[in-house]
Amino acid sequence: MHASTRTGPYDVLVIGGGIIGLVTAWRAAQRGLRTAVADPSPGGGAALVAAGMLAAVTELHYGEQALLALNLASARRYPDFTAELEEASGRDTGYRACGTLAVALDADDRAHLRELGAFQRRCGLEAEWLTGRECRRLEPMLAPGVQGGLRVDGDHQTDPRRLAAALLTACERAGVTLRRAAVARVLLDGDRAAGAELADGERIAAGQTVLAAGSHSARVAGLPDAVLPPVRPVKGQTLRLRIPEAYRPFLSRTVRAVVRGNPVYLVPRENGELVIGATTEELGWDTTVTAGGVYELLRDAHELVPGLTELPLAETSAGLRPGSPDNAPLLGPTDLPGLHLATGHHRNGVLLTPLTGDVMAEALTTGRLPEEARPFTPRRFAAPAGPRPASPVQEPSA
Ligand code: GLY
C-alpha cells in the first residue's frame, strides 16, 4: 500500500482489535454501520493473558458501587451475548456458569472476607458464608487450613482467547473490514476526528473514530492532549497448568483468596486448563514473565490448593491491563467531535465486553450514551473549560 492511498469513507473506524474493539465493531456493523478495525494483530491484546473471570461480586471494592452496577449489567448479558456470538461465529467461547468460592487461609483473611461479605450483602448481592469444612466439601482439593469462605454462585467465567477468536470471526461475517496494520496517527478534519493513517501510509477516512487500543490508547498520535485518555499499563502475569483426565474434576468452580495481601485466583476450564492469576505490577510497558512473578503465584496458589504442584505447567504469560484513575472504563463520545473512547476497562475488560458493545453501538448510532453508561463518559476526566490546545495534526477532508 503506498503512502497517501485512501480508503473509505467508513462510518466507523475502530483503532484496536482486542475484545473491546472487536465487540464495538461487531455491534456497529450489526446496526448497519460500515465499519473497519485497524490493528496489526486483531484478536490479540490483554485478553490473551486474562483468566476470564466474570467476577462482579468477588472483585467488588469499597467505593466502586457505580462500577458494580455496570459490571452487574454486563454479567447479566453474558448468557444471551454468548449464545448470540456463538451462533454468529460458529465458535465455542468457553462460557461456564460455574460460580466462585473466595476463601480465607488465616484469621485476618477471615475477618476481611466476612467484612467483604457484609458489604456485598448491603449492596444487595448474593454471597453465602461457609465454614472451612463446608468449603472443602464443595472443593475437596482445598488446603485443610482453609478457615471459611464466601460462596458466590453468580460469578462465572469465560475463555478470553476463545472469546477473541469468536469476535474476530463474527466481525468478518458481519462485513467488518480488518486492516492488519498499526495506526500511525489519528486524522483530523478541522476540529473533527476523521479516521486514521496507518503505518503503511494508507489513510482510512471515517465519520466516527473509536479509540479502543487498551493500555496503548494514550499513545496514539495525532490527538489533542485534552482528549487523550488517562490510561496506563498495569501488568499482570498468569500461569496455565493442565489438569490430566485422571485428576478431573480438580476444581469445580473458580477459587480465590488473598494470601499475605496478594490476591490469587484459580480458574478451572472445562477443557482441563487451570489458569492461575494474577500479579498487579506498575512497571510501564514491561511484559517480561519473571521468576518472582511465577514463584509468587505458585507459592500462593499452592497454599490454597496444595495438590496443584503435581500438574504440568503449560504456559506463562504477561499482559497489560488498561488502568484508569478510577479503575472504571471510559466509554462514548469525547469533546473532540467524531472521536469516541472504549478503553480503561482495567480489571473488567472481559466482564464488560457485552455491555461495551451495546453502549458503543448506541453511542455510534444516536450520539448518546445509554443511561447506565453515563457515569463512565470520558468527559469525567476532561480538563476544566478553556481554550483547547492547538491540534498537533490537521488534515484536509479525506
Ligand atoms: N480481573 C482479574 C485481574 O485483572 O487480574
Side-chain angles (χ1 to χ4, degrees):
M1 196 74 63
H2 291 128
S4 87
T5 300
R6 290 181 179 198
T7 57
Y10 288 93
D11 297 315
V12 177
L13 171 65
V14 181
I15 299 174
I19 53 174
I20 295 299
L22 291 177
V23 78
T24 300
W26 180 44
R27 290 307 200 192
Q30 285 181 318
R31 300 240 188 156
L33 299 175
R34 204 170 161 241
T35 304
V37 172
D39 191 307
S41 185
L48 299 190
V49 176
M53 288 182 303
L54 308 175
V57 179
T58 41
E59 290 206 349
L60 173 63
H61 293 283
Y62 295 104
E64 293 186 357
Q65 286 90 325
L67 179 59
L68 169 68
L70 196 75
N71 287 342
L72 289 172
S74 201
R76 280 192 293 273
R77 290 175 204 206
Y78 242 98
D80 288 349
F81 169 79
T82 297
E84 186 184 349
L85 178 60
E86 292 186 348
E87 170 76 26
S89 65
R91 288 174 176 271
D92 177 33
T93 59
Y95 176 73
R96 188 174 174 200
C98 60
T100 295
L101 184 63
V103 301
L105 286 165
D106 61 32
D108 288 346
D109 289 350
R110 191 171 178 279
H112 166 77
L113 206 53
R114 290 217 79 144
E115 221 174 83
L116 180 65
F119 178 51
Q120 289 165 337
R121 284 188 292 278
R122 284 199 300 281
C123 293
L125 305 170
E126 282 183 25
E128 183 193 359
W129 181 259
L130 302 183
T131 63
R133 182 173 300 186
E134 288 168 330
C135 290
R136 280 187 298 279
R137 202 174 298 138
L138 276 186
E139 297 296 342
M141 296 304 289
L142 281 174
V146 163
Q147 304 240 327
L150 279 173
R151 174 178 175 165
V152 177
D153 285 343
D155 276 3
H156 303 313
Q157 62 156 298
T158 195
D159 184 336
R161 293 180 177 180
R162 294 188 195 192
L163 175 66
L167 283 168
L168 195 57
T169 302
C171 280
E172 284 168 334
R173 290 186 175 178
V176 173
T177 300
L178 296 171
R179 278 293 286 114
R180 292 170 193 267
V183 163
R185 59 183 173 152
V186 174
L187 299 176
L188 300 185
D189 177 8
D191 68 353
R192 278 193 70 82
E197 181 176 321
L198 305 184
D200 61 12
E202 182 187 356
R203 290 179 178 190
I204 301 182
Q208 303 189 81
T209 304
V210 180
L211 185 49
S215 59
H216 295 275
S217 298
R219 293 174 121 188
V220 175
L223 288 170
D225 288 349
V227 295
L228 278 176
V231 293
R232 66 183 198 287
V234 181
K235 178 177 170 183
Q237 302 188 46
T238 56
L239 314 176
R240 281 170 168 75
L241 278 55
R242 288 221 60 78
I243 305 170
E245 289 281 358
Y247 287 50
R248 297 186 204 170
F250 188 78
L251 295 174
S252 64
R253 72 202 68 221
T254 296
V255 170
R256 57 186 303 153
V258 178
V259 183
R260 288 178 297 274
N262 298 319
V264 64
Y265 45 80
L266 286 76
V267 182
R269 303 232 194 279
E270 235 144 36
N271 66 6
E273 187 174 72
L274 179 69
V275 186
I276 301 178
T279 64
T280 299
E281 302 165 72
E282 301 266 1
L283 288 172
W285 302 103
D286 174 61
T287 52
T288 313
V289 174
T290 62
V294 174
Y295 164 70
E296 284 169 22
L297 288 171
L298 282 176
R299 179 196 63 197
D300 296 345
H302 173 255
E303 287 205 24
L304 269 188
V305 178
L308 64 76
T309 48
E310 301 299 317
L311 304 178
L313 173 61
E315 189 185 323
T316 59
S317 52
L320 300 172
R321 306 175 184 89
S324 76
D326 58 6
N327 300 329
L330 292 83
L331 302 171
T334 66
D335 284 338
L336 180 69
L339 180 74
H340 295 253
L341 299 183
T343 188
H345 291 68
H346 197 214
R347 296 185 167 280
N348 299 304
V350 179
L351 172 59
L352 286 172
T353 293
L355 180 131
T356 298
D358 293 345
V359 304
M360 292 308 295
E362 183 72 13
L364 290 165
T365 46
T366 67
R368 288 184 308 278
L369 273 176
E371 185 69 38
E372 65 211 332
R374 287 195 192 145
F376 304 96
T377 169
R379 292 181 173 127
R380 70 190 189 278
F381 297 119
R388 187 184 289 151
S391 304
V393 179
Q394 293 288 327
E395 289 294 324
S397 293

